[in-house]
Amino acid sequence: MKQAPPDDTMPVELVEGPLPSVGADEAEPRFRVVVGTNGERRGIRLERIYWDGLSRMAAAGKMTTAELVQHTASQLRETGNLASLLRVVSLKWALKRLTALEDVSTLANINALVQASPSPTIALTREKKIQFFNEPFLAMLRNRMQQPTTSAAKGLSLSIDLHVEDALKALEENKGKAISTGFSISVNQQTIRGQIRLALAPTHERSMLLGFVSKT
């Protein structure tokens, strides 16, 4: 059985569906008066998305939005614009966090998780293709099919009792959960059935399921 390559030969789903639309209220600047710890009052006009970004940034830094604004203002040049600087700071922080998340959610790291599992494990794509599998999975085929691994892997067909789309939807709606379902593997007119635990694969590149065989 040949695994699909964990590289850019596979289509990348960085943006699923249409690009986000922007409502009129979201693009409308909102005025707020921010009072610093030193009592200085600053009137600032920013779009809602930037206020939301500054709030998340402040929470991550265990400070208030007012303290974040005051810290940013301390970096402002005499001829600078505080609202513009806050926009830059907000976007820079978001991009830095996005980069960090993308670095740990690659297909290569999904493959590493599969290989590290001591139980038979696969990564299954939305198209029902086995993207990755580990040695215990091959050993299960070899033992249950009673033939060499290379023969068992040839013409393998795997199906799960749940539709893949339904499993993905259920897991996306229940973050941090796993679901159990039945599966069947057919090779050379032999079939084995069992139970498999499914979880969302933590990757931004493709929608995938991690499947851990629990019973055969």
Side-chain angles (χ1 to χ4, degrees):
M1 176 186 292
K2 185 177 180 181
Q3 302 184 70
D7 57 25
D8 57 3
T9 62
M10 302 299 298
V12 176
E13 300 174 355
L14 292 179
V15 180
E16 296 186 355
L19 293 172
S21 59
V22 179
D25 63 324
E26 294 179 300
E28 186 69 26
R30 300 188 176 193
F31 181 81
R32 293 186 187 179
V33 175
V34 178
V35 182
T37 55
N38 57 0
E40 184 176 357
R41 297 169 62 88
R42 295 182 175 88
I44 303 169
R45 191 180 298 275
L46 291 173
E47 293 75 14
R48 188 178 72 186
I49 192 169
Y50 290 109
W51 285 119
D52 292 345
L54 291 173
S55 177
R56 293 185 63 171
M57 184 177 174
K62 294 181 172 50
M63 63 177 68
T64 65
T65 300
E67 290 171 333
L68 175 59
V69 170
Q70 181 175 323
H71 173 75
T72 304
S74 68
Q75 304 175 55
L76 188 67
R77 297 178 180 178
E78 291 185 7
T79 57
N81 182 291
L82 180 57
S84 295
L85 185 58
L86 287 169
R87 289 187 182 94
V88 171
V89 167
S90 176
L91 182 57
K92 185 175 181 179
W93 178 82
L95 290 176
K96 183 177 180 181
R97 173 163 285 199
L98 175 62
T99 298
L101 290 173
E102 288 182 343
D103 285 345
V104 299
S105 62
T106 62
L107 289 181
N109 280 337
I110 296 302
N111 187 32
L113 290 176
V114 171
Q115 303 309 320
S117 173
S119 64
T121 303
I122 61 171
L124 188 67
T125 70
R126 177 176 254 121
E127 298 76 28
K128 304 177 184 178
K129 181 176 182 179
I130 296 178
Q131 181 83 22
F132 305 117
F133 56 88
N134 62 2
E135 181 59 34
F137 181 78
L138 289 180
M140 178 190 71
L141 293 182
R142 182 171 58 246
N143 294 336
R144 292 300 302 273
M145 299 298 184
Q146 298 180 350
Q147 54 184 301
T149 302
T150 53
S151 298
K154 187 176 180 180
L156 180 148
S157 174
L158 180 142
S159 64
I160 59 175
D161 293 351
L162 281 175
H163 289 296
V164 173
E165 288 291 343
D166 291 341
L168 286 168
K169 182 179 179 181
L171 290 168
E172 287 166 357
E173 292 176 350
N174 297 276
K175 296 291 192 296
K177 302 293 185 180
I179 55 178
S180 293
T181 188
F183 76 92
S184 64
I185 297 176
S186 299
V187 181
N188 298 332
Q189 299 183 335
Q190 296 185 66
T191 300
I192 60 174
R193 288 194 55 82
Q195 291 289 310
I196 191 168
R197 294 276 290 173
L198 301 174
L200 280 179
T203 177
H204 66 280
E205 296 185 38
R206 288 177 65 83
S207 294
M208 288 194 296
L209 296 168
L210 289 179
F212 303 88
V213 175
S214 56
K215 184 187 299 183
T216 57

